[in-house]
Amino acid sequence: EWADKLSGMIKLLVENVTVMEWKMYYLEKDVMSANATLFDIEGRKVGVNGTVVNWTAHPSTWIPTFTAPAKAKAAAAEPADAEDAAAEPAASEPAAAEDAG
């Protein structure tokens, strides 16, 4: 019984650490973008993957969700009211933001 409780707590901890790792990844991208904008660095990217993210508009556990490049291109071709299903962040860098803010 105690082993099951401990196993459940460890699983929850791993999930929370993974979410925080993704959040730090995206925050770093956002800070690098702000720095590049402030210092007018050539070839800079705006925001996270080209999307400005309002971090204060969401709870502290929120991270932006992204679509794969093919979905992002298809979504751009669809009417503005069409919605794509959000995908979990992959190990490679995502292409376009679903919910920026």
Side-chain angles (χ1 to χ4, degrees), residues 8-62:
M9 285 188 223
I10 291 171
K11 182 180 177 191
L12 183 62
L13 181 62
V14 168
E15 290 171 3
N16 286 334
V17 167
T18 302
V19 169
M20 288 300 110
E21 286 175 334
W22 276 110
K23 185 167 188 118
M24 293 305 298
Y25 171 80
Y26 292 126
L27 280 168
E28 179 183 16
K29 291 285 188 188
D30 207 18
V31 168
M32 289 170 50
S33 167
N35 186 53
T37 300
L38 287 171
F39 292 100
D40 199 26
I41 296 172
E42 282 187 47
R44 66 183 175 266
K45 292 184 180 181
V46 176
V48 179
N49 295 327
T51 304
V52 177
V53 177
N54 181 359
W55 295 96
T56 62
H58 302 281
S60 62
T61 56
W62 178 85

